[in-house]
Structures are given as structure tokens and as C-alpha cells.
Amino acid sequence: MKREREKMVAGELYDASDRELVELRRKARAYRMQFNQELDEKKRSELVKHWFGKTGDKIYIEPDFSCDYGCNIHVGENFYANFNCTFLDVCPIRIGENAMLGPNVQLLTPLHPLDAKERISGMEYGKPITIGDNFWAGGEVTILPGVSLGNNVVVGAGSVVTKSFGDNVVLAGNPVRVVKKLPH
């Protein structure tokens, strides 16, 4: 039988009150508190390297940063996130190399059942977010569960990404649409 953590990461219905998940969130809160209070940027980067599932060597995240677990976040080399980013990582969040995220960017993997009785029971699920290399998200971008974005994607400030897109595009709006194709 699958553990609740395995169900969660697989995008299946799971019980968020499971003891292992509660402990993982407690640890993430301790990391978050330490990270957000640390003034030394090198120490913050080292902390993230121990906290996240995977990082490159060059990673820089401004405080305040929030996430559910941290261990389900995988970022490539040369990663930058500006102030007040939130990554709700019940499912994996994977971002390639050379990513820049503006302030208040939200990457949200959790979902809740539409059926009220099921939702009230505390069961939830999620869908992963996958983003390719050379990504740039302007301030206040929100990326919803299950979205995949290709390489060389730019998302304009304030946009809400509700579906997946391929390579070499500029996206903007709510919901986003392609506003420009970029050269390969």
C-alpha cells in the first residue's frame, strides 16, 4: 500500500494530515524561518541547496520565500527568484537552467476535489509544474497545477498561466495567450 507522501507526489488523492507529511511541513517551516531571517546571501543559498530536492551551484532567492515542503522543488543552474515568491510543492516543481522569477511569483501544484463532501474530508491532490530552460516570469505571475512550459518562455507581469505551452513564446494575460513567438 502506498504511503500518503507517495500518493501526494504522484498526484493522487492523499490525506494531508498524515503524520509524515505534517512532519515534513514542520521541517519546511523551520527552513523557511531560518532562510527568511538570514542576511548573508551565501548562507541563504547553501540552506536552499540542503532544503530543495535539487539545485544547481548558482542559486539566489530573495526573502521572503514560502513553500509547502521544499523537497519537491528542483531547479537548474543559474536560478534567481525575487522577493516574496511562493512555491506550493505538493507535487514536483521542476525548473530548468537560467530561470529568472520576478517578485510575488506563485507556482501552485495543489488541487482540491470539486465534490464538497470529499473536499471537506481533507483529501487533496495536485499536479506537477514543469518549466524548461531560459525562463523569465515577470512580477505577480501565477502558474497553476499541471502546467508545462517549454524552453525560452517569457511570461508577462500579472499573468495567470492555466495551460501548457511549448518553446520560444512570450505569454501574457489572464488567462495567458501567446503574444509573440521568439526566434529559435
Side-chain angles (χ1 to χ4, degrees):
M1 191 153 146
K2 283 187 179 179
R3 296 181 359 237
E4 295 303 306
R5 181 178 183 179
E6 293 169 322
K7 292 178 193 176
M8 177 184 78
V9 173
E12 300 170 11
L13 278 175
Y14 71 95
D15 179 0
S17 67
D18 174 73
R19 186 179 314 211
E20 178 184 16
L21 296 178
V22 169
E23 178 60 19
L24 283 171
R25 287 193 305 273
R26 187 199 63 72
K27 286 180 181 177
R29 283 175 178 78
Y31 273 120
R32 185 177 73 209
M33 192 76 136
Q34 185 180 358
F35 173 87
N36 287 329
Q37 292 179 1
E38 179 59 61
L39 296 177
D40 184 302
E41 64 189 56
K42 289 180 182 173
K43 288 181 182 177
R44 280 198 316 264
S45 291
E46 287 305 313
L47 183 63
V48 169
K49 290 175 186 177
H50 294 291
W51 183 13
F52 284 11
K54 176 189 167 287
T55 72
D57 287 328
K58 188 176 178 188
I59 181 169
Y60 190 93
I61 300 175
E62 297 282 5
D64 285 342
F65 176 80
S66 296
C67 66
D68 282 323
Y69 297 95
C71 58
N72 296 323
I73 300 170
H74 309 272
V75 299
E77 191 63 50
N78 199 28
F79 178 84
Y80 174 78
N82 212 319
F83 297 101
N84 300 317
C85 287
T86 300
F87 291 14
L88 299 186
D89 62 316
V90 302
C91 280
I93 295 172
R94 298 185 189 286
I95 303 173
E97 297 186 358
N98 306 311
M100 293 181 7
L101 282 65
N104 302 307
V105 168
Q106 299 181 77
L107 305 181
L108 312 174
T109 68
L111 290 160
H112 301 279
L114 295 177
D115 177 81
K117 287 180 184 173
E118 198 173 25
R119 187 171 57 250
I120 292 166
S121 77
M123 298 299 286
E124 54 188 64
Y125 66 107
K127 291 184 181 177
I129 293 173
T130 304
I131 299 169
D133 294 338
N134 309 316
F135 176 66
W136 176 24
E140 308 246 346
V141 165
T142 300
I143 300 178
L144 297 182
V147 166
S148 290
L149 299 175
N151 295 320
N152 307 312
V153 172
V154 176
V155 182
S159 296
V160 179
V161 184
T162 61
K163 65 181 184 178
S164 298
F165 291 89
D167 297 342
N168 305 309
V169 292
V170 177
L171 308 170
N174 181 4
V176 297
R177 60 182 174 77
V178 175
V179 296
K180 183 176 185 175
K181 295 201 181 220
L182 298 171
H184 297 35

